[in-house]
Amino acid sequence: MGLRVAVVGVGAFARCFIPLFKAHPLVDELTLCDLNAQKLDAASREFGVKSTSPSLDEVLTRDIDAVALITQHWMHAPQAVQALRAGKHVYSAVPAAVTLDEMRALVAASRESRKVYMMGETSYYYPEALYCRDRFRKGAFGRVVYGEAEYYHDWDHGLYDVYAWRRGKNWRALAGDPPMHYPTHSVGMAVSVTRARATHVSCFGVADSKPEDRDIYRDDNPWKNRFSNESALLKMSDGSVFRINEFRRVGHPGTVRMTLFGTEGSFESNAAGSVWVTKQAAQTERLDEMLRCGSAPVADDGLMTKVTANDGTHLGVSRVHPVQRLPKEFRGLHNGHNGSHQFLVDDFLRASAQNKLPPVNVWQAARYLVPGLTAHESAMRGGELLEVPDFGAEPTDWPLLDPNEDAA
Ligand SMILES: NC(=O)c1ccc[n+]([C@@H]2O[C@H](COP(=O)([O-])OP(=O)(O)OC[C@H]3O[C@@H](n4cnc5c(N)ncnc54)[C@H](O)[C@@H]3O)[C@@H](O)[C@H]2O)c1
């Protein structure tokens, strides 16, 4: 028997995921859930999903196996804990939590319930993350000694609207959350390669300078946070150093990306493109074509050379995306954020069906998030060097899903 799944929150981002949960062959029954009856009704009709529920509280009383929380970002942890404690597997949009206490409670809830928790970190399936994990596995970096990862998203690129629809009428008073409280795209992308954890952090913040911008990042917001940009230096458990930038005021088109230096080879990326380099300049490889996510459909051998018509194909992926592992039912469906959405949904459903740990399980989610929460604390203390709390590694008696090997 397949899974009965509820998508909780049918707002802007959920639109990308509802068709994927509906199409996946491991899902027997899909329910849509939202507090907003109008939105719920519209989504039910648009996506052709008859079963609906008026709230998370209500849907958790039903005989379902799993929920996908695509609710506002500050609600995730309490909702995930509630769902895990109700015996449901949980997929959550990022971030996993907004405080250390919330993250601690979330780890405990997953460990004690033995239900799958997965954070839907989109950067985990960005092409550069896949490429670097493969190079790392094969030893091509030698030892990784230094990394840089960043998430640049200027307010002028849609954030005013996003906060208005997520927070409601008084959104400005609640929009100044610290950039380092949303660190999972940057930290997670780099940590996903080496799996080293941050042990110490020192961070500095940059306050908004234009008077007209100061109404968001100001002393009287709930975080007393004036920083729109934050830069952190992390000491990692393998002896390497990572520099993380979270910028919300920056003259840049926006990006999630990383650069990683190893003793034998390095991956460098900036707005001009990506390269693999070694000590021999002549061996420099330009990676732009390989890592480019095509808007064109891609044949299921994973090579962009075989572009076919818009049927039976995978959309929005690069040459390094292992599309052969995806269910054929995903072909032709939307696949956003650099080809990641379909892989995330597939990971979660396969992990839930087999009760295995997905790659971005609760312990990895903590290691993607907690360095950022601690970094902001450091920035508030003028850059003081702080220890990064650790919530441990995956329990050895809970098998990890290998999405490329385990049967679907
Ligand atoms: N790259 C990424 O990973 C990425 C990109 C975009 C958004 N996101 C995440 O997606 C999440 C959703 O963003 P959005 O813009 O779609 O938000 P949204 O405000 O449009 O939608 C959230 C919906 O959740 C519903 N909701 C809240 N509590 C509920 C409850 N108890 N029961 C039922 N429904 C409930 C709300 O009514 C709302 O309709 C955010 O947390 C954001 O961080 C991640």
Side-chain angles (χ1 to χ4, degrees):
M1 201 176 95
L3 298 163
R4 290 151 300 181
V5 180
V7 173
V8 181
V10 297
F13 197 42
R15 304 180 59 76
C16 303
F17 290 90
I18 294 167
L20 301 177
F21 279 107
K22 187 179 172 196
H24 198 289
L26 283 174
V27 176
D28 269 359
E29 196 182 301
L30 185 64
T31 297
L32 300 185
C33 169
D34 205 293
L35 295 171
N36 181 320
Q38 246 180 330
K39 260 170 148 175
L40 182 61
D41 183 51
S44 159
R45 279 185 282 113
E46 177 179 349
F47 296 107
V49 178
K50 285 208 179 87
S51 171
T52 60
S53 161
S55 70
L56 175 66
D57 290 347
E58 196 281 332
V59 86
L60 291 180
T61 66
R62 297 194 190 181
D63 198 12
I64 57 168
D65 304 293
V67 294
L69 299 173
I70 314 187
T71 53
Q72 291 95 323
H73 58 272
W74 61 94
M75 299 178 179
H76 294 165
Q79 292 179 342
V81 168
Q82 186 188 351
L84 289 164
R85 299 271 182 216
K88 318 297 183 195
H89 303 297
V90 173
Y91 175 99
S92 167
V94 305
V98 293
T99 67
L100 287 177
D101 284 345
E102 281 188 359
M103 193 67 234
R104 191 174 293 112
L106 189 52
V107 172
S110 182
R111 190 182 50 233
E112 288 161 22
S113 65
R114 292 290 284 202
K115 291 291 166 188
V116 167
Y117 170 89
M118 174 173 154
M119 185 176 75
E121 178 44 66
T122 42
S123 73
Y124 188 84
Y125 280 112
Y126 274 29
E128 51 269 65
L130 288 159
Y131 176 85
C132 287
R133 285 200 292 274
D134 185 54
R135 284 280 196 187
F136 184 78
R137 226 178 353 253
K138 291 173 178 157
F141 280 99
R143 177 183 163 213
V144 169
V145 288
Y146 176 74
E148 295 174 347
E150 50 243 2
Y151 174 36
Y152 297 158
H153 191 152
D154 191 89
W155 273 85
D156 286 337
H157 291 145
L159 280 188
Y160 293 99
D161 290 340
V162 167
Y163 269 83
W165 81 58
R166 283 192 199 153
R167 289 279 192 190
K169 236 179 22 214
N170 296 323
W171 68 268
R172 266 180 194 273
L174 297 167
D177 33 354
M180 278 290 171
H181 280 195
Y182 204 96
T184 62
H185 296 333
S186 55
V187 175
M189 185 183 259
V191 167
S192 84
V193 178
T194 63
R195 289 176 71 89
R197 69 178 183 84
T199 61
H200 296 80
V201 62
S202 169
C203 179
F204 292 96
V206 176
D208 268 350
S209 50
K210 287 196 284 179
E212 64 271 27
D213 288 342
R214 288 201 204 117
D215 62 341
I216 289 177
Y217 296 106
R218 59 191 199 199
D219 289 332
D220 64 348
N221 64 33
W223 308 270
K224 299 181 172 41
N225 173 46
R226 289 184 301 116
F227 302 137
S228 48
N229 292 351
E230 295 186 305
S231 297
L233 208 56
L234 306 179
K235 182 170 187 279
M236 306 302 292
S237 57
D238 62 357
S240 64
V241 172
F242 284 175
R243 189 278 286 139
I244 305 295
N245 284 345
E246 288 287 338
F247 290 175
R248 304 295 174 262
R249 301 279 193 204
V250 58
H252 193 276
T255 190
V256 173
R257 69 175 179 222
M258 70 176 161
T259 279
L260 280 181
F261 291 100
T263 51
E264 301 305 321
S266 301
F267 171 83
E268 275 196 280
S269 176
N270 62 24
S274 304
V275 287
W276 173 259
V277 293
T278 66
K279 292 171 194 179
Q280 279 73 45
Q283 288 180 1
T284 298
E285 290 173 46
R286 285 216 67 90
L287 304 172
D288 303 334
E289 265 312 294
M290 184 189 289
L291 303 186
R292 192 172 63 82
C293 287
S295 55
V298 177
D300 66 354
D301 61 357
L303 297 174
M304 296 191 74
T305 45
K306 215 172 123 190
V307 174
T308 60
N310 190 359
D311 56 353
T313 55
H314 295 276
L315 301 176
V317 292
S318 70
R319 288 187 199 175
V320 298
H321 279 97
V323 291
Q324 57 287 346
R325 59 159 266 209
L326 293 175
K328 64 179 182 335
E329 289 81 356
F330 276 3
R331 295 174 184 182
L333 295 184
H334 171 79
N335 189 17
H337 283 96
N338 292 352
S340 62
H341 292 178
Q342 296 190 354
F343 290 92
L344 293 174
V345 171
D346 189 50
D347 276 2
F348 175 65
L349 293 171
R350 289 213 254 161
S352 299
Q354 301 173 46
N355 211 342
K356 288 186 173 176
L357 290 174
V360 190
N361 53 65
V362 80
W363 289 274
Q364 292 307 312
R367 288 177 173 180
Y368 292 8
L369 174 80
V370 172
L373 299 181
T374 316
H376 177 67
E377 187 59 35
S378 164
M380 294 298 276
R381 298 199 214 169
E384 190 179 326
L385 182 68
L386 297 179
E387 257 183 63
V388 178
D390 183 37
F391 296 110
E394 296 88 342
T396 48
D397 64 347
W398 199 343
L400 265 171
L401 178 81
D402 181 341
N404 294 319
E405 295 296 330
D406 290 354

